[in-house]
Amino acid sequence: MDAIQSWVSEHKLSSIGALWATGIGASLVAFSRSKSPMKPSLRLIHARMHAQALTLAVLSGAAAYHYYENRDIEPKPVTNISSSSATHMVEWDLHNPF
């Protein structure tokens, strides 16, 4: 399990893209097996919507995981910094949280 987590953390965009493609494929297979009267173009639209919903759910889960993972890390103590550079660092950290 740790190997999978480390690979996914290193290849975030690839894993999300693969998940999206898998979602489209699974949805297309599910709609093609049922005897629905939908046209192929409508099936493709539905498959894309299902894949987007799956991708949004995974991105939300990844954001929550990232938030709770980084919350446990203790901040480093700051020493001997002038107030102007400290203000600059705080503003930079607010604008660039990741």
Side-chain angles (χ1 to χ4, degrees):
M1 188 68 172
D2 290 334
I4 294 172
Q5 284 180 341
S6 66
W7 187 88
V8 168
S9 68
E10 291 176 12
H11 302 93
K12 291 178 180 121
L13 292 178
S14 299
S15 59
I16 290 171
L19 183 74
W20 182 80
T22 303
I24 282 190
S27 185
L28 281 174
V29 167
F31 277 125
S32 67
R33 290 192 178 211
S34 66
K35 301 292 182 190
S36 67
M38 288 193 295
K39 294 180 183 179
S41 60
L42 191 59
R43 287 181 188 160
L44 185 61
I45 291 170
H46 281 248
R48 192 197 71 199
M49 288 173 41
H50 289 130
Q52 285 177 338
L54 178 65
T55 303
L56 284 175
V58 168
L59 284 173
S60 299
Y65 175 76
H66 182 75
Y67 173 75
Y68 287 113
E69 181 183 47
N70 289 340
R71 197 173 75 167
D72 296 336
I73 299 172
E74 294 181 16
K76 296 178 183 176
V78 178
T79 58
N80 298 332
I81 295 179
S82 66
S83 63
S84 64
S85 63
T87 304
H88 177 71
M89 286 177 46
V90 169
E91 288 177 358
W92 185 85
D93 195 30
L94 288 174
H95 294 295
N96 301 312
F98 302 107

